[in-house]
Amino acid sequence: MIIAGFAGIGKTTFCTNNSVAIDFECMPFKYRFDDNTPYEKESVKANPDLDFNPMWQYEYANKIEELCVENKYKYIAIPTDFLTLYLLTDKGLNYNIVYPKRSLKDEYKKQYIARGNTEHFL
């Protein structure tokens, strides 16, 4: 089962607590990291100075499809990127979207700041 979860919804926590789940991050697909670019998960999200990979959604969707075929994980948690979800639909892969209530916007913003997300991310 593919779970497309909004930022901060608990994908990492869920996957950490379930050995049959993988938190399949998009960052290694979205940006090109080298030895001179530190990869600090939350603090680099949406950083405009990173080397962006314009084909990342295609590569990411293909890898998600591979994970589904391998059937190693019961749950694959991914972010809710529109093009990625479109590509998964195009491949015939189903997913569930998880998102917070709009009324929790301020609570989530505090959570993002506490975990080290940048202003660009916010």
Side-chain angles (χ1 to χ4, degrees):
M1 172 189 297
I2 300 171
I3 302 168
F6 192 81
I9 201 76
K11 296 182 299 287
T12 300
T13 301
F14 173 76
C15 292
T16 299
N17 295 323
N18 291 280
S19 61
V20 295
I22 183 172
D23 183 9
F24 196 59
E25 297 178 37
C26 67
M27 291 292 292
F29 293 85
K30 193 171 185 176
Y31 301 103
R32 296 181 185 101
F33 294 96
D34 58 30
D35 293 338
N36 299 323
T37 307
Y39 175 59
E40 297 172 17
K41 188 174 174 179
E42 300 303 334
S43 64
V44 298
K45 286 183 178 176
N47 184 336
D49 297 327
L50 292 176
D51 185 14
F52 183 75
N53 175 7
M55 297 299 291
W56 78 270
Q57 286 114 330
Y58 298 93
E59 295 167 10
Y60 187 58
N62 287 339
K63 186 61 181 176
I64 293 168
E65 182 179 35
E66 286 178 33
L67 288 173
C68 290
V69 170
E70 290 171 4
N71 203 24
K72 182 178 176 183
Y73 300 99
K74 185 174 181 179
Y75 304 103
I76 303 168
I78 64 170
T80 53
D81 175 74
F82 175 77
L83 181 54
T84 300
L85 298 178
Y86 174 81
L87 293 168
L88 294 177
T89 299
D90 197 47
K91 292 174 176 294
L93 297 172
N94 296 320
Y95 51 84
N96 294 293
I97 298 176
V98 180
Y99 54 92
K101 290 182 179 181
R102 185 174 296 278
S103 63
L104 298 174
K105 182 179 178 179
D106 290 337
E107 202 172 305
Y108 272 77
K109 185 175 180 179
K110 289 176 189 173
Q111 178 182 328
Y112 299 147
I113 292 168
R115 72 182 191 179
N117 290 121
T118 65
E119 283 294 319
H120 289 286
F121 179 82
L122 298 177

